[in-house]
Every structure is written in structure tokens, then in C-alpha cells.
Amino acid sequence: MSNKEKQGGFFYNMKKRAEEASTVRKIVSIIIIAMVLVLIIGGISGYLYINSSLKPVDPDSDEEIAVEIPMGSSTSMIANTLEENGIIKDARVFRFYTKFNNITEFQAGEYTFTPSMDFNEIIESLQTGRVVMEATHRITIPEGLSVDQIAEIYSENLSFTKEEFLERISDEAYIEELIEKYPDILTEEILQEDLRTPLEGYLFASTYDFYEEDPSIDTIIEKMLQQTQTVYNRYREQVESTEFTIHEAITFASIIEKETATEEQRPQIAGVFYNRIENEMKLQTDPTVIYALGEHQEVVTFEDLEIESPYNTYLVEGLPVGPISNFAENSLKAVVEPEESDYLYFLHDSEGNLHFAEDFEQHVENREEYIN
């Protein structure tokens, strides 16, 4: 091949490479332009979406929507609740907005919102606890009540009877539905044949607001269970680290609740019961005997102590078969945070003071001094 031909081939290859490089540059430029356009369009779309999400769902709507914010709800839980009820368009945008603006300390409670409210109006209500509409019924369920007593209170304030309430909470098919709906707090243990009623102890003591004129029994039961769930969530990890199931922990809390009304005494009593369990001693607590008898009485006799019942802790080992009342939060806290001691006995004097003993002999002395 002559030098002239070689030079021709070289220039041809150079030209071909230049054309290929030019094509690559064009492709790269197109890709970059496309990516920039996508980013611009995405940014604009994102901006428009967020801007739209910050606005009311329906500026012209006067519909009143009742929303419950349980105690202990996180911003994420509140945002999801608002979206589910059609108060806001996007829970993610609400979470971002509150985080970006460092907005915290929302108040639990029953609220009535409308789809015409903007973020600032909603947030103001949640921070101040201000509701748009007054509750139709406000009913307080004290601590230490049995299901029977709870049914009595509701029947006195609402349109159904005590018997209808008790019948509903004993409906096995309904209880099984509730177990599926609230698996964290309701287990198959509440279906034990020896239990007097499945939901004893699980209907949390609190003040409840109802916005309907005639709230259903199911509505009431589930509102109370939700409150139990909220309180339990605060102590879930501690309960799971104990030797007790959730059913046993609530049973334990109900006994502590009935033994004393004083918050300071509850960890002390819990500590005594732990010591008795570890020493394979029966709990021998009078409130379980009273529950087994099925009627309130001020004095428990020696004859009462012999009643055959899975609730009677003078006869059964450890905890009774189930709770004997509802409980306050500090009673459950006492179960997971008992006060350590060497005491195995305690008694109340006529003024409600506690007197502890490490052995039976000292306990007898305390009885002689403070009771007899």
C-alpha cells in the first residue's frame, strides 16, 4: 500500500471517530437536557402538590367530622388519623410541615374538624386542645370498677340498659372480633371458661366524650379499649420483659388497684406480691375474695376465705384467673416498676396507712397494734 493510500485511510478513520464522538455528545446532551427537564417538571409538580396539600381539603365544606386523638399519639399517628378522616390531603406533608416548623406538644382529646380548615387552624386546635363542638355526653368511669359497675354508669346516662351492655360484652363472637382488632391487648386468655366476663379489667378508667346523641355499645367499648391500648403502649416493653402475659399484667394491676387508692403505696404493694410469688406463697388478698363472692362487703370473714373460686387467692396459687376491676395507669406502672424490699406481709390501719412485715410473727404484731 502506498503512502498516499495510508494517509487516506488515516484521515478516513479520524473523520469517522469525530462523527462518532459528535453523535455521543449529542446523545449525552439530549440525556442531560431530558434529566434537567424531568427534574424541573418533577420539582414544579412536587411544589404544586405540596402547595395543594397545605390548602383545605374542601374550602366550601361545613361538614363536622369528629376525630379522637388518643393520649400518647405521635405526630405520625395524628397525621394518619387526620388523613383517614378527610381533614388533610396527605399525612406526609403534614408531618414534614410540623417538623420543618418545629411544631410539637399536641393535646389528646376529642376534636371536631371541618374539611375547610387549613393546616394552621388544625394545628392551633391540636396544640390548645380546643374543640369545635361540645360533647353531647361526657361520662367519667372511675378506677377500680368492675364491668358490672361500668355498665350501671352507662345505662344511667345513655339509652341502653345495663343488661344490654353486659350481654354485648359477653357475646363470644363479638369478643373474637375484638381480639382480632386489638391483638396487642386482647388474647385468647380472655376466652377462658372460668372467667366471669371476658373484658373485665380491659375497659380503661377515664372521662369519655361522645358526640352522638345515642352512641352504640360497640362504640363505647372500643373507645375504652383504645384507651387501654394507649396506656399499655407506654409500658409494652417493660411488660414483655416480665414473666407475665398482658392478661396477667392487667390482672396484677387490677389487684393493686383494689388494694389501695394511694399512688405512692402501689409500688410497695407490688413489691410484696412479687416477693410472695417468688417464695411460692399464696397472694391472700381480700379484694379477690370479694370479687369471687360477687358482692361488695366491708369485712371478709374466715368463712368467705374458703369460697371455691379461681379468683380466690387464698386458695389458688399466684394470680387469679383474670382481672377483678379496671385499673389506673399507675397501677400498671407499679407492676413493671415494683419497689424492692424483703417484705412478705402488709396491712392497712383504720386511717389507710400501710404497715409491712418481713415474717408472719411481725405481721401478727402489726395486726395486734394497728387493727385489734
Side-chain angles (χ1 to χ4, degrees):
M1 182 181 293
S2 65
N3 289 335
K4 188 174 182 180
E5 289 175 334
K6 288 180 181 180
Q7 288 178 349
F10 174 78
F11 286 118
Y12 174 77
N13 289 334
M14 289 291 290
K15 182 179 179 182
K16 187 175 182 181
R17 289 195 187 97
E19 290 174 351
E20 290 175 350
S22 176
T23 301
V24 169
R25 284 194 297 272
K26 288 178 181 178
I27 293 173
V28 170
S29 298
I30 292 170
I31 292 173
I32 291 173
I33 292 170
M35 291 177 65
V36 170
L37 288 174
V38 167
L39 289 173
I40 292 173
I41 294 171
I44 294 172
S45 299
Y47 171 78
L48 293 174
Y49 179 80
I50 291 173
N51 191 50
S52 172
S53 298
L54 292 171
K55 295 179 179 179
V57 173
D58 184 354
D60 301 319
S61 175
D62 293 325
E63 179 188 5
E64 294 180 336
I65 303 173
V67 176
E68 179 184 5
I69 305 299
M71 291 177 61
S73 296
S74 64
T75 301
S76 179
M77 293 169 61
I78 293 172
N80 291 335
T81 300
L82 294 174
E83 181 181 345
E84 289 167 5
N85 285 275
I87 309 301
I88 60 174
K89 296 178 182 178
D90 193 310
R92 294 168 299 178
V93 175
F94 185 87
R95 291 197 300 270
F96 174 79
Y97 183 86
T98 54
K99 187 173 183 179
F100 182 80
N101 290 284
N102 196 29
I103 298 170
T104 56
E105 299 182 2
F106 295 126
Q107 302 293 316
E110 296 277 359
Y111 295 87
T112 303
F113 297 112
T114 67
S116 62
M117 297 174 71
D118 61 28
F119 269 27
N120 290 330
E121 291 174 316
I122 295 169
I123 289 168
E124 181 186 357
S125 293
L126 290 171
Q127 286 188 311
T128 60
R130 178 176 58 83
V131 298
V132 177
M133 184 174 66
E134 291 295 325
T136 306
H137 302 282
R138 169 165 285 190
I139 301 174
T140 297
I141 303 299
E143 298 91 348
L145 296 191
S146 67
V147 159
D148 193 76
Q149 293 169 310
I150 293 171
E152 182 74 34
I153 292 174
Y154 280 123
S155 68
E156 290 173 353
N157 289 274
L158 300 172
S159 60
F160 52 78
T161 66
K162 174 181 176 179
E163 289 69 29
E164 288 172 329
F165 187 93
L166 293 175
E167 181 180 356
R168 186 54 173 163
I169 63 170
S170 298
D171 184 324
E172 187 170 340
Y174 178 54
I175 296 302
E176 289 177 346
E177 289 177 16
L178 292 176
I179 290 174
E180 290 185 11
K181 193 167 185 178
Y182 301 94
D184 290 340
I185 57 171
L186 299 181
T187 68
E188 296 294 328
E189 287 184 90
I190 69 171
L191 295 177
Q192 295 177 77
E193 186 177 346
D194 289 337
L195 285 176
R196 181 177 296 174
T197 180
L199 294 184
E200 188 74 88
Y202 289 87
L203 303 181
F204 197 77
S206 185
T207 296
Y208 294 96
D209 290 335
F210 300 96
Y211 295 89
E212 310 97 315
E213 184 62 40
D214 293 307
S216 68
I217 295 174
D218 289 12
T219 297
I220 293 167
I221 290 171
E222 295 196 35
K223 184 184 287 284
M224 299 184 80
L225 288 175
Q226 287 166 7
Q227 190 63 23
T228 302
Q229 175 78 68
T230 298
V231 172
Y232 171 65
N233 285 342
R234 300 192 188 109
Y235 304 95
R236 178 198 299 270
E237 292 184 5
Q238 290 172 283
V239 170
E240 291 175 348
S241 69
T242 70
E243 60 193 66
F244 301 119
T245 63
I246 174 61
H247 181 71
E248 291 169 335
I250 288 180
T251 299
F252 200 163
S254 74
I255 294 174
I256 294 171
E257 182 70 39
K258 295 298 287 185
E259 274 289 3
T260 177
T262 306
E263 181 177 349
E264 294 76 16
Q265 293 178 345
R266 289 173 176 171
Q268 297 173 311
I269 290 176
V272 173
F273 285 145
Y274 269 106
N275 291 342
R276 293 184 71 87
I277 291 172
E278 290 174 3
N279 283 274
E280 298 183 352
M281 300 171 65
K282 293 183 173 66
L283 294 186
Q284 296 183 327
T285 170
D286 289 356
T288 63
V289 176
I290 295 172
Y291 186 82
L293 291 169
E295 56 185 21
H296 179 72
Q297 54 191 70
E298 295 297 329
V299 179
V300 176
T301 67
F302 286 111
E303 183 180 353
D304 294 333
L305 302 182
E306 299 299 322
I307 182 173
E308 292 287 342
S309 169
Y311 288 97
N312 183 0
T313 55
Y314 280 84
L315 298 182
V316 301
E317 300 287 342
L319 295 167
V321 68
I324 59 175
S325 74
N326 62 7
F327 61 94
E329 180 174 346
N330 51 49
S331 289
L332 181 60
K333 184 178 181 181
V335 171
V336 296
E337 298 178 10
E339 183 175 305
E340 293 186 10
S341 72
D342 294 323
Y343 297 130
L344 293 171
Y345 301 88
F346 68 89
L347 57 79
H348 298 271
D349 63 24
S350 59
E351 296 180 355
N353 299 312
L354 275 178
H355 302 280
F356 296 94
E358 294 182 10
D359 54 45
F360 186 69
E361 181 180 354
Q362 184 182 358
H363 181 59
V364 171
E365 291 175 0
N366 285 343
R367 179 175 292 279
E368 288 295 325
E369 181 176 355
Y370 300 106
I371 304 297
N372 296 340

